[in-house]
């Protein structure tokens, strides 16, 4: 009896000791699931917290101006509205209707597309060729070429355009003397002026392509290139069949960047052709929008041209990325 009583007393005492209550097998598992889900939620939000300052800056520098551009494109907004002489009125699609019914707009759009395509192709060709050349030369010539390329890249567009105009000046430029062209004016004819601007655009744009593609070539495994060479492939075949497919993500980036930069060229055209050439023969969309908005004080119409340019660039970029996704490429 005493032993039994003592045993029960110890069991009762142990039952009364403080501690976690016995579980039924569901409570802790459910709590652990909540804690796991909370940790996953925190880990998903962590990258956005780091990106929040950059997103705030981009929102102020990009989103708000684009919003204002789109808003003004739907308004009757001229110098009279800017000075407060007349109230601002809503035109709806009136600016776009006027723009699309103007044959001059379609001529400038076609010239812009052709000029940008030529600049992109020439920039990629020159940049990729020099990137391959950098892998073939020794350290000292490579350093000299890289410094020269970076110098061209760092030159402001206004400065570079002014220098190129002087180099090809019909009276004092050294290029005409070397080529024996006499007093030939490069900016007088439409196609010669576009060719001159194209050369300047390529000169200030190819360093980005060269540097990026050269870094990509250096990342290609040397064993792959050696195997292709042992199989008897020429340098052109190695580039076309081995190097270029492996560099496709990098080439995609530089192509999209070149399309965006060359499609919205403004400074080179404005400086080198005097605002668009004789009778506007060298106009591109960016210069055309500037003339409409500031020279003619038709800010609504100029904003509509800007919106059209933005939509074209978005369509080109998204279409190109979608095509690559269909082909199974990952950027």
């Amino acid at each position: 009896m005493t032993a039994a009583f003592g045993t029960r007393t110890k069991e009762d005492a142990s039952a009364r000791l403080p501690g976690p209550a016995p579980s039924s097998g569901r409570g802790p598992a459910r709590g652990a699931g909540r804690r796991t889900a909370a940790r996953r939620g925190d880990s998903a939000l962590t990258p956005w917290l780091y990106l929040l300052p950059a997103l705030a800056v981009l929102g102020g520098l990009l989103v708000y101006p684009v919003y204002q551009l789109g808003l003004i494109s739907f308004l009757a907004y001229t110098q009279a509205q800017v000075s407060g002489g007349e109230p601002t009125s809503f035109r709806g699609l009136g600016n776009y209707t006027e723009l699309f019914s103007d044959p001059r707009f379609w001529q400038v759009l076609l010239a812009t597309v052709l000029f940008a395509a030529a600049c992109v192709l020439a920039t990629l060709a020159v940049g990729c060729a020099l990137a391959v050349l950098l892998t073939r030369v020794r350290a000292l010539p490579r350093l000299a070429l890289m410094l020269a390329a970076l110098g061209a890249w760092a030159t402001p567009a206004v400065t570079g355009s002014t220098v190129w105009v002087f180099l090809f000046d019909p009276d004092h430029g050294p290029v005409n003397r070397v080529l024996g062209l006499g007093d030939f004016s490069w900016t007088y004819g439409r196609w010669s002026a576009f060719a001159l601007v194209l050369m300047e655009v390529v000169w200030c744009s190819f360093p980005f392509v060269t540097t990026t593609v050269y870094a990509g070539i250096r990342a290609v495994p040397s064993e792959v290139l050696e195997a292709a060479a042992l199989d008897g492939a020429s340098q052109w075949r190695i580039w076309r069949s081995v190097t270029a497919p492996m560099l496709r993500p990098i080439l995609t980036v530089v192509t999209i960047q070149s399309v965006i930069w060359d499609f919205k060229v403004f400074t080179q055209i404005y400086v080198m052709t005097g605002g668009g050439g004789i009778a506007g023969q060298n106009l591109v969309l960016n210069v055309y929008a500037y003339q409409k908005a500031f020279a003619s004080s038709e800010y609504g119409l100029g904003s509509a041209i800007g919106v059209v340019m933005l939509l074209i660039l978005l369509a080109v970029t998204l279409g190109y990325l979608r095509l690559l996704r269909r082909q199974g490429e990952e950027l």
Side-chain angles (χ1 to χ4, degrees), residues 16 39 41 45 47 93 149 155 167 175 221 252 291 296:
R16 289 194 297 270
R39 284 195 297 268
L45 291 176
L93 298 177
T155 303
L167 291 176
V175 175
T252 300
Q291 288 187 354
S296 303

Side-chain angles (χ1 to χ4, degrees), residues 281-307:
Q281 64 182 1
N282 298 113
L283 280 177
V284 293
L285 279 181
N286 232 351
V287 180
Y288 187 58
Y290 176 84
Q291 288 187 354
K292 287 294 184 181
F294 297 100
S296 303
S297 297
E298 298 179 4
Y299 302 104
L301 197 58
S303 299
I305 300 174
V307 171

Side-chain angles (χ1 to χ4, degrees), residues 132-184:
V132 175
L133 177 63
L134 290 176
T135 63
R136 300 287 188 269
V137 298
R138 296 181 180 273
L140 190 59
R142 184 188 309 124
L143 178 62
L145 288 174
M146 291 293 291
L147 290 177
L150 293 177
W153 195 10
T155 303
V158 175
T159 305
S161 301
T162 304
V163 170
W164 274 74
V165 169
F166 168 74
L167 291 176
F168 288 83
D169 184 79
D171 297 323
H172 308 287
V175 175
N176 280 10
R177 296 180 182 179
V178 173
L179 298 179
L181 297 178
D183 58 350
F184 175 75

